[in-house]
Amino acid sequence: MPPSVAAVNTATRRVLAFAVGGFLLLLLVAAQMFVNVDPLSLHRTDAVIMLGGAASERLPVARQFQEQFHIPVLVISHTDTVGNRVADEACNAAAFPNADVICFRPPDLDTRGEAEAISRLIEANGWRSVTVVTSSYHVTRAGRLIRQCTTADVQMVASHPDLDFIQWIRRFVIETGGLIDASFRPECANQRAEM
């Protein structure tokens, strides 16, 4: 006996309500993981490190944090990419050696490469704590990768990009995939075993 029209409509409404509820829950989780990431308290660290990309948004935050907390060293990821132009110009204009500014080029131009390079910088300089500045959508994944590479205290500070809804959805998809990857394929796994 075929189901009645009323039963089909009820089932359709339930499926639709479940899908809408799931989507809203997903948006809530995304907002907490990629938008509302500012720490409750901040403290002075040995260095401020700006991750590459979105430099016009990230570098001012890194410099402001450095000044506010009187942190002696600013570390800048130098990538020679379009999105990092402001930071690359700061590195190119700096005179080296310079105790106040360190520019590094990650072995791979991605967050994993930056995590490895930051680990080496922390070890070489004997830093016990660092503040890492990156875009809010990137804080969770970058923090996980960097912490996988060092035992130093890593404090993450977010810069806040001006993205539209579609750009936020795109970042959510990319960062969620990156978080899954960082969970199943930890960075510096061999290095951490040796620590």
Side-chain angles (χ1 to χ4, degrees), residues 56-152:
S56 59
E57 159 208 324
R58 296 174 185 176
L59 188 56
V61 173
R63 286 180 168 154
Q64 178 184 10
F65 192 86
Q66 179 187 24
E67 183 178 314
Q68 180 181 354
F69 286 91
H70 309 288
I71 298 174
V73 181
L74 174 63
V75 180
I76 301 172
S77 181
H78 190 303
T79 65
D80 289 320
T81 58
V82 174
N84 209 53
R85 185 182 52 77
V86 173
D88 294 339
E89 287 173 359
C91 286
N92 293 337
F96 293 102
N98 187 334
D100 299 334
V101 177
I102 296 173
C103 293
F104 73 97
R105 184 169 184 85
D108 297 313
L109 295 180
D110 59 13
T111 310
R112 286 180 174 276
E114 287 179 318
E116 290 176 28
I118 289 168
S119 171
R120 288 192 297 274
L121 282 168
I122 288 170
E123 185 177 338
N125 290 285
W127 296 329
R128 294 175 185 258
S129 61
V130 294
T131 298
V132 178
V133 177
T134 191
S135 302
S136 59
Y137 57 77
H138 191 228
V139 163
T140 305
R141 179 169 64 97
R144 177 171 289 177
L145 287 168
I146 294 165
R147 287 182 185 106
Q148 289 172 348
C149 291
T150 184
T151 57

Side-chain angles (χ1 to χ4, degrees), residues 11-33:
T12 302
R13 275 189 239 116
R14 285 183 182 158
V15 167
L16 184 60
F18 181 76
V20 168
F23 179 72
L24 291 175
L25 180 62
L26 190 63
L27 285 179
L28 180 64
V29 169
Q32 292 306 311
M33 290 181 68

